[in-house]
Amino acid sequence: MKTYKIYVDCANCAAKMEEAVKKTDGIADATVNFMTLKMNVEFEDGANEKKVMKAALKNARKVDDDIEIDF
């Protein structure tokens, strides 16, 4: 599991971000903590983490185009 710093401005957006990231191919599970502005991600075996996180960011930005993930 890896932890990433996120930038999201409301708890509702963070919840939607979590759902969007969970649907990304290569991610087994993800949890977003709005209070700490961190996201924990568990990758599927053999997943290319950088490629998967780029796709996760793209999916998250469908929720709110201001969302950022440091990876």
Side-chain angles (χ1 to χ4, degrees), residues 13-58:
C13 293
K16 289 179 180 178
M17 175 187 187
E18 181 177 295
E19 290 305 312
V21 169
K22 283 182 177 182
K23 294 177 183 174
T24 305
D25 288 340
I27 292 183
D29 195 24
T31 54
V32 171
N33 184 322
F34 176 69
M35 296 302 289
T36 62
L37 294 177
K38 293 189 184 205
M39 176 173 61
N40 293 318
V41 178
E42 186 176 326
F43 294 95
E44 293 176 355
D45 290 340
N48 178 326
E49 292 179 17
K50 194 164 200 111
K51 186 176 179 181
V52 170
M53 288 308 297
K54 283 182 182 180
L57 178 59
K58 185 176 180 181

